[in-house]
Amino acid sequence: MIQRIDYSKASPEGYKAFGGVYVYLQNSGFSKALIDLVYLRVSQINGCAYCIDMHSRDLLKSGLAVEKLLLVPVWPEAGGLFTSREQVALAWAESVTRVAETGIPDADYQKAAAEFSDKELADLTYGIGLMNAYNRLGVAFRLKPAAAV
């Protein structure tokens, strides 16, 4: 495998701009656990090893049970392990991340809009978009997960 650039050093202003959105979302009112679950699920869909590793570690550090972490990829089949709010956020994250496949149907939007305020839904969607962008950077430039360094 060839060595790829460190995008944060190649374009520090772009990296800083993404970081600003990340910081905003950390202070937007969502629980850290909810936003990290969404980040993890988006990263799993996109196959970003670096982000999967980082968000899994963050969730474990915050006290998330290992059993719950392991069931994130199959959350719809996990019974009551995930709260209603987490389920709606994860469903919205999947629909938005797979936009080329889903087209984000009205039914998905209506479920998300029924659970989240307008601001929350906008912020959640910013977070999903941000993580999709970070995943593309991570995969494009082959960031190594902490476990592999």
Side-chain angles (χ1 to χ4, degrees):
M1 185 182 314
I2 65 167
Q3 179 66 37
R4 300 194 183 190
I5 66 168
D6 179 339
Y7 68 89
S8 66
K9 291 180 182 170
S11 179
E13 291 302 314
Y15 182 74
K16 184 178 175 184
F18 273 66
V21 176
Y22 184 83
V23 169
Y24 166 76
L25 290 167
Q26 293 299 311
N27 299 309
S28 67
F30 283 111
S31 72
K32 183 162 175 31
L34 178 71
I35 202 77
D36 281 340
L37 279 172
V38 167
Y39 288 164
L40 175 60
R41 186 64 192 123
V42 169
S43 299
Q44 289 170 337
I45 293 166
N46 290 324
C48 182
Y50 177 84
C51 295
I52 291 168
D53 180 64
M54 179 175 61
H55 297 297
S56 294
R57 290 173 186 274
D58 288 347
L59 285 160
L60 289 171
K61 284 180 197 170
S62 72
L64 186 77
V66 172
E67 296 81 8
K68 189 170 182 175
L69 178 71
L70 293 173
L71 292 174
V72 170
V74 293
W75 64 267
E77 290 83 37
L81 193 58
F82 293 87
T83 68
S84 173
R85 191 166 172 86
E86 289 169 342
Q87 290 176 33
V88 173
L90 290 167
W92 183 244
E94 289 184 4
S95 189
V96 171
T97 297
R98 293 183 169 131
V99 64
E101 299 163 35
T102 69
I104 311 174
D106 287 343
D108 291 357
Y109 172 79
Q110 288 170 332
K111 287 177 188 170
E115 180 68 38
F116 297 104
S117 71
D118 289 356
K119 180 189 182 308
E120 287 175 327
L121 187 55
D123 287 347
L124 180 60
T125 309
Y126 288 140
I128 294 163
L130 177 69
M131 193 48 49
N132 273 287
Y134 272 133
N135 292 163
R136 279 144 182 79
L137 290 163
V139 173
F141 298 116
R142 303 288 194 261
L143 293 180
K144 301 276 185 267
V149 177

